[in-house]
Amino acid sequence: MCIFCKIAANEFGTQFLFENENVLAFRDLDPQAPTHILIIPRKHFENVDELTNSEPALVGELFAVARSLAISEGLPAHRTVFNTGAGAGQSVFHAHLHLLGGRSFAWPPG
């Protein structure tokens, strides 16, 4: 079972910023911005490609949660990112959307 599946099973007592039957959101333990929230589907999908193929509406739900959290966190400017594959920086192979804010971001990102 991957670390995010364990978090979804509440094995660590993670404090959720948002939760419903499909989605969880919590703060990243290694933040890359003053606000860095991870938004995950409860169900395991290796990456956003697999998620999109299996449950495309859930991708939209993740973004809707990100928007709501950006508002509640006071982030008029923010970045949302899916990393897909190790070469793109994915280190936990459970689809997750990063919500980053609270500082300026450069382009291109990396």
Side-chain angles (χ1 to χ4, degrees), residues 7-97:
I7 289 171
N10 207 22
E11 290 188 20
F12 303 114
T14 301
Q15 183 178 31
F16 300 121
L17 301 172
F18 176 89
E19 65 179 306
N20 68 16
E21 64 188 16
N22 300 317
V23 177
L24 296 169
F26 50 92
R27 297 198 188 278
D28 194 303
L29 291 177
D30 183 25
Q32 303 301 305
T35 300
H36 189 167
I37 298 170
L38 300 175
I39 304 156
I40 69 168
R42 284 185 182 267
K43 185 176 174 184
H44 183 89
F45 299 93
E46 183 172 321
N47 56 46
V48 71
D49 290 346
E50 184 178 302
L51 173 59
T52 301
N53 284 336
S54 298
E55 296 191 35
L58 188 49
V59 177
E61 188 172 354
L62 294 175
F63 276 104
V65 170
R67 180 183 182 280
S68 176
L69 288 168
I71 292 167
S72 67
E73 293 281 320
L75 302 174
H78 57 277
R79 182 173 284 175
T80 51
V81 177
F82 275 111
N83 297 317
T84 303
Q90 186 177 5
S91 59
V92 176
F93 292 88
H94 181 123
H96 55 286
L97 178 62

